[in-house]
Amino acid sequence: MRRHRNVKIVATLGPASETYDTIRALHEAGADVFRLNMSHGDHDGIREKHRIIREVERELNSPIAILADLQGPKLRVGTFGNGPEELEPGASFRLDLDRADGDASWVCLPHPEIFAALEPGAHLLVNDGKIRLKVKDCGADFAECEVIIGGTISDRKGVNVPDVELPLAALSEKDRKDLEFVCQLGVDWLALSFVQRPEDVTEARELANGRAAILSKIEKPSAVERFSGILAASDGIMVARGDLGVELPVQNVPPIQKRLVRACRAAAKPVIVATQMLELMIESPMPTRAEVSDVATAIYEGADAIMLSAESAAGSYPIEAVRTMDNVAREVEGDPTYTQIIEASRKAQRNTVADGIVAAAREIAETTDIKAICCFTQSGTTALLTARERPRVPIMALTSLRGTARRLALSWGVNCVMTEELTRFKLAVVNAARAARAEGYAEALDQIVVTAGVPFNVPGTTNILRVAPCQESLIYSTDPG
């Protein structure tokens, strides 16, 4: 299904979007990737959503990426005997391992690994940062805190520890079970929550064993500090601004977002900007102007994808939210300023033959009347390198591997087309011309650029480029040999 925009849209599925009719409507409205949130629902529900997505994919002959988002280690306080309590600024509040019901002076924090890492002066954030505690004294099983910012605290509210790197594995026991389940099910991307170090990504990659691409969620200060190593170990990145904005001052998040998006683009790895993009559309059919500007900013920055969370999973207007993102994307990408910004931020990458081939393809396409860049790819690398160039013409990725086509559905500007397995470049050119005409990218008298690797079906061998007509008789008559 051809999209008339380059940025991709990720839609989270949930109670508001779990039926066949809604999932199909979401895809037709513009959702390129569906996110399955492993924090909610059971395996039977996840399996059914997966089945419906694949049914829609078959019926529309449109590769769809499925992203399974692992919960990660969730840190939560215990329970309160008398219901919610009010914490006043300046008051003392104790956290410890006693599992009895708490009150206004203390509560259980059943995570000894937190106490092992705490030091006096560290801060604890409760309930998405609404409550801030400062550690005055601590030991192996307790932390005496001062309430810096008060508020209402209640059962099992989340806890963030921004000042220290916690000795926690990125994958809990639940995550390991979920990872194996979704890999056997056949998802395309695994999102890792609360990544702190490159080793967290390596562990997940070993468990996935090639069955899914690995996407790291950047939502902790330690992940920002170690981003270059995490990026190198990952196949993609999500800028998860929710927890990132809790653990860091909110004014730090926009420049971090810009730096991370640019670093991902330079590395030719897809990046998603996520969290609270159209928050009002959970309850309203219209977003705020500030939310539209936020979505537009991510697109102007060159993000590969923008994501809906509760808006599509639990909101009252999931399809309208996708349509809104699609409309904003089309408007932004039609703005001449968008092209200027994207091209001004392009960094020359000339380290390999493949780098040179895709750069030449873009330059030829932009200086002559070329309708599309058609790249044959097995692993997806050629398409990713082409997307890094952010060409002005459409990118068509032709592959015989369904898994590759699905993973590339997350990447900027890449339109995936399934093709038969080929062994000769001339046949590749013919197939590219047919696909360009069939998908509406070009007509018979138009020209396309075709890139491929010879020998065929060997990943990482991009080494050939041809400008070709879309009329098959002209392809054969101008064939160099």
Side-chain angles (χ1 to χ4, degrees):
M1 180 179 295
R2 182 180 179 183
R3 304 294 192 199
H4 294 278
R5 54 173 159 78
N6 292 308
V7 71
K8 301 302 179 67
I9 296 173
V10 182
T12 304
L13 298 184
S17 52
E18 58 187 3
T19 66
Y20 168 87
D21 288 341
T22 305
I23 292 173
R24 175 164 179 154
L26 287 170
H27 182 58
E28 291 177 328
D32 306 286
V33 181
F34 286 113
R35 172 176 171 254
L36 306 177
N37 189 350
M38 304 306 293
S39 298
H40 304 289
D42 55 22
H43 284 186
D44 287 341
I46 295 294
R47 182 184 291 107
E48 178 62 10
K49 292 183 184 73
H50 181 278
R51 183 195 67 78
I52 292 173
I53 295 167
R54 292 301 182 226
E55 183 179 346
V56 171
E57 179 184 66
R58 284 191 300 272
E59 291 181 352
L60 299 180
N61 192 29
S62 177
I64 300 173
I66 300 178
L67 168 69
D69 195 333
L70 302 178
Q71 177 176 285
K74 286 287 186 181
L75 308 177
R76 299 184 184 278
V77 299
T79 57
F80 293 84
N82 298 316
E85 299 281 1
E86 196 72 22
L87 302 188
E88 299 294 336
S92 296
F93 192 75
R94 178 185 172 94
L95 301 163
D96 61 32
L97 297 176
D98 186 345
R99 292 185 177 270
D101 288 338
D103 56 29
S105 65
W106 77 279
V107 74
C108 175
L109 182 62
H111 301 286
E113 59 274 15
I114 293 183
F115 297 118
L118 284 179
E119 296 179 354
H123 289 85
L124 295 167
L125 309 177
V126 184
N127 192 14
D128 289 335
K130 295 181 177 67
I131 296 173
R132 179 180 289 267
L133 308 175
K134 184 177 181 179
V135 177
K136 307 299 286 185
D137 187 24
C138 57
D141 59 356
F142 78 96
E144 294 286 353
C145 304
E146 177 187 355
V147 179
I148 304 300
I149 299 176
T152 303
I153 188 170
S154 56
D155 294 353
R156 299 185 180 87
K157 290 301 181 184
V159 177
N160 294 81
V161 190
D163 299 334
V164 295
E165 183 175 320
L166 297 175
L168 289 171
L171 297 174
S172 65
E173 190 58 36
K174 168 181 165 51
D175 293 328
R176 290 170 176 271
K177 293 177 181 178
D178 287 345
L179 184 152
E180 184 59 30
F181 168 72
V182 296
C183 281
Q184 289 186 11
L185 201 58
V187 302
D188 309 295
W189 287 88
L190 283 171
L192 308 183
S193 298
F194 303 109
V195 171
Q196 296 188 92
R197 56 189 79 85
E199 292 78 10
D200 296 337
V201 187
T202 303
E203 178 187 4
R205 188 177 296 283
E206 290 173 354
L207 293 172
N209 194 27
R211 293 174 292 176
I214 308 297
L215 185 141
S216 296
K217 295 169 66 177
I218 306 302
E219 47 195 337
K220 295 186 71 65
S222 56
V224 176
E225 293 170 5
R226 298 185 174 189
F227 182 68
S228 59
I230 291 172
L231 176 60
S234 307
D235 299 306
I237 294 292
M238 181 190 296
V239 185
R241 304 175 305 173
D243 277 277
L244 197 58
V246 170
E247 299 214 3
L248 287 168
V250 291
Q251 67 269 20
N252 290 11
V253 175
I256 289 173
Q257 175 178 315
K258 286 185 179 294
R259 292 202 306 272
L260 268 53
V261 169
R262 288 202 175 192
C264 292
R265 182 177 164 194
K269 294 185 177 182
V271 56
I272 304 170
V273 174
T275 319
Q276 298 176 325
M277 301 210 81
L278 295 175
E279 190 85 349
L280 188 64
M281 292 195 75
I282 296 173
E283 300 175 348
S284 168
M286 291 294 293
T288 67
R289 289 155 184 79
E291 288 171 338
V292 170
S293 293
D294 181 42
V295 172
T297 295
I299 299 169
Y300 277 115
E301 288 170 354
D304 288 80
I306 45 183
M307 193 174 98
L308 295 166
S309 298
E311 302 96 328
S312 59
S316 300
Y317 304 94
I319 298 167
E320 289 84 353
V322 171
R323 286 201 187 111
T324 297
M325 276 194 161
D326 183 73
N327 289 336
V328 173
R330 293 193 195 198
E331 190 68 24
V332 168
E333 293 180 3
D335 177 14
T337 305
Y338 169 78
T339 303
Q340 294 170 9
I341 292 172
I342 291 297
E343 294 183 355
S345 62
R346 182 185 294 139
K347 290 185 177 180
Q349 300 286 339
R350 302 290 188 274
N351 301 320
T352 67
V353 170
D355 290 333
I357 290 288
V358 298
R362 175 190 57 78
E363 291 173 0
I364 292 169
E366 291 179 355
T367 55
T368 58
D369 189 20
I370 298 295
K371 298 301 182 183
I373 298 173
C374 302
C375 50
F376 283 81
T377 184
Q378 289 295 98
S379 66
T381 301
T382 304
L384 293 174
L385 292 175
T386 306
R388 180 182 64 191
E389 293 289 319
R390 300 295 193 260
R392 298 179 195 173
V393 301
I395 303 167
M396 292 182 64
L398 294 98
T399 182
S400 60
L401 301 179
R402 178 69 64 176
T404 296
R406 289 168 173 164
R407 285 194 296 274
L408 288 172
L410 181 59
S411 297
W412 185 98
V414 178
N415 304 276
C416 302
V417 178
M418 296 301 301
T419 185
E420 59 186 328
E421 189 170 311
L422 303 170
T423 56
R424 295 177 58 202
F425 184 62
K426 183 190 293 185
L427 293 178
V429 174
V430 171
N431 271 265
R434 289 174 180 172
R437 296 197 310 269
E439 298 292 328
Y441 293 98
E443 297 180 354
L445 297 180
D446 291 325
Q447 289 187 311
I448 56 175
V449 170
V450 183
T451 64
V454 177
F456 269 87
N457 306 316
V458 178
T461 59
T462 304
N463 56 14
I464 191 167
L465 177 154
R466 181 178 174 186
V467 176
C470 284
Q471 188 170 318
E472 290 182 39
S473 60
L474 294 178
I475 294 174
Y476 287 103
S477 66
T478 58
D479 182 62

